[in-house]
Every structure is written in structure tokens, then in C-alpha cells.
Amino acid sequence: MLEFQNVTYSVPGAEILKNVSFTSDERFIAVTGPNGSGKSTLAKLIAGIITPTEGRILFDGTDITGMSITERAKFGISYAFQQPVRFKGITVRDMITIAVGHKISVGEICGYLSEVGLCAKDYINREINSSLSGGELKRIEIATVNARSTKLAVFDEPEAGIDLWSFNNLIKVFENMYKRTKGSIIIISHQERILNIADRIIVVADGSIAAQGTKDEILPTLLDVQSGCCFGTRRSDGLEEVC
């Protein structure tokens, strides 16, 4: 179970998140809201990339507020960046092996790559560098987090750079990930299809929790034009955005 207790995050001259509190142990949790509302900051606080200015973060009853990224990773938290990191000199095979934590067969590595729609023989020995497109990097990162099989996985806009066909399969990846881990998956997203699989939706606006609840409770409020959200904005790749 993940718990935020009166968490505030400030930088000189600005308060990014203000007194945020929530508790969640559902299967799929979607965090949504306008651009610049603090969603990615919330995700980075969970991963330990940044530390709260005030408040506490607990995971499975343990205070992880002061834990480093490495300590949180060992404790069972995975994080996927909105913009995946490139690693010159490290191959896809290396990355997935590191994620698993022990030597695995080529067949197992291929399974993780196939699940995200990549032909293993074309990618397994490629370096994670500038030769890969944004969409390829994103899928490899998702495969890496999938391979870790941790109790909590946080994805910051996993649909970014993903085409429509891959997006449809992305939902299946999340569902299969849950079947293996029985943990929680937190997804930062504007996408209607992501929100539709969520057991819980948290809406962030102006650095605070504007609303939280089940899909049935929250989605109707996002559909309300008077709420200030623009539901159903269709992108050129066929995906729809909320807010």
C-alpha cells in the first residue's frame, strides 16, 4: 500500500505540490490532470528522484521518505520515465538482465520484448542509444520494468511515442504484469483508455489533489466541460486525451 501524508514539494520561488495526502493499494491507479499540475513531480517523489519538502511517504507500512532511488528499487519500486534514458554501451539484453537481477535465457528476454511488440532478433543486441526512436525506447523501458516484476511500478505517460497499435497492446502488458506481481501499477496519463482500466483515479490540479475515487465516480466529472477539462481531444495518431 502506498500512502502520502501531507506531502509538499517546493523549489525556490514555487510550491509544486501542496499538502498532498492519499492512500491506495488498488491494482491500477491512474493519475491525471492538466499539464503542469504536478503529476510527474508526484511520480518522482514515489521513485525517490526528489524528496518531499514536508510530509511522509509510506510503502507497505514503511517510511520510505528518506530512502534513495536505489534503496526504493531494492524495496520493490520501479519507475519508467516520461522520456526514457539512453545508455551508450549498454545493450537491450544487458538492460533486461540487470532488471531481472540474475542471468536469464535469451528466450526469456525475447518474451519480454515480444510482449511490447518488438522483434527480439532485431533488438536484443542493440545499444540503448540515439539509434533508437522514442517509441522504441519507450517499449524497451516498459519491457525492462515488466521484467523487474516489483510490488509497485510507476509509469510516467507510458503512451508517449507509442503508436495506436502498440497502445492497444500496452493495456495487455499492464494486465499481464499485474497477474505476475499482484502489486500496484500507477500510471500518469491523459489517455481515456488508461483511465478506463483504472480501479482508482487521482486528479491533480494546481499542485493539489482535486479529486480521487473510483473510475465510475471520477470519469463523469472529467466529462463535464464545466470542470475545465477538454475530454476526448483526438491526436493525429488516433489516441484520445483527457484535460
Side-chain angles (χ1 to χ4, degrees):
M1 180 173 68
L2 179 69
E3 184 175 1
F4 269 46
Q5 296 181 347
N6 307 113
V7 172
T8 293
Y9 178 72
S10 302
V11 296
E15 198 170 46
I16 311 301
L17 284 180
K18 296 168 273 189
N19 198 35
V20 170
S21 294
F22 67 87
T23 300
S24 188
D25 61 356
E26 287 87 353
R27 179 185 55 164
F28 296 124
I29 302 103
V31 179
T32 193
N35 290 332
S37 60
K39 302 185 303 297
S40 291
T41 298
L42 188 148
K44 290 174 182 176
L45 284 166
I46 297 171
I49 297 171
I50 54 178
T51 303
T53 309
E54 298 176 17
R56 298 198 308 163
I57 302 172
L58 281 70
F59 182 54
D60 284 350
T62 298
D63 188 340
I64 64 170
T65 311
M67 284 188 182
S68 67
I69 300 172
T70 301
E71 289 170 328
R72 294 190 198 199
K74 290 179 179 178
F75 197 57
I77 298 175
S78 295
Y79 176 77
F81 290 87
Q82 185 175 346
Q83 298 294 330
V85 180
R86 300 175 188 269
F87 298 95
K88 187 176 180 180
I90 296 179
T91 66
V92 173
R93 181 203 299 256
D94 295 333
M95 184 61 68
I96 293 179
T97 301
I98 291 169
V100 172
H102 56 80
K103 188 174 182 180
I104 60 174
S105 69
V106 172
E108 289 175 291
I109 295 173
C110 291
Y112 289 119
L113 293 174
S114 297
E115 198 168 348
V116 295
L118 295 178
C119 178
K121 68 181 180 64
D122 293 336
Y123 289 92
I124 192 168
N125 292 315
R126 288 185 64 176
E127 289 188 11
I128 304 176
N129 56 24
S130 59
S131 69
L132 295 168
S133 70
E136 289 170 326
L137 283 168
K138 179 65 75 172
R139 286 195 259 181
I140 290 166
E141 182 183 52
I142 292 168
T144 301
V145 173
N146 193 14
R148 287 206 70 217
S149 298
T150 52
K151 293 181 290 183
L152 175 63
V154 183
F155 292 89
D156 193 352
E157 297 195 17
E159 71 276 5
I162 298 290
D163 57 43
L164 184 59
W165 180 90
S166 299
F167 188 86
N168 292 335
N169 285 274
L170 182 60
I171 303 299
K172 296 178 183 177
V173 172
F174 292 143
E175 291 172 345
N176 290 336
M177 188 182 302
Y178 173 75
K179 288 177 183 177
R180 281 199 301 272
T181 66
K182 302 301 180 185
S184 294
I185 299 172
I186 296 177
I187 308 170
I188 313 297
S189 181
H190 294 285
Q191 296 300 326
E192 179 185 0
R193 289 173 188 162
I194 293 290
L195 301 186
N196 267 317
I197 70 165
D199 301 301
R200 184 176 188 83
I201 298 175
I202 297 173
V203 182
V204 181
D206 296 323
S208 300
I209 301 294
Q212 57 178 311
T214 66
K215 175 182 66 176
D216 292 338
E217 292 170 336
I218 300 300
L219 272 181
T221 69
L222 296 178
L223 286 163
D224 184 359
V225 176
Q226 300 303 316
S227 69
C229 288
C230 303
F231 190 89
T233 301
R234 187 170 293 278
R235 302 185 338 192
S236 59
D237 56 11
L239 301 181
E240 292 184 349
E241 294 186 344
V242 180
C243 295

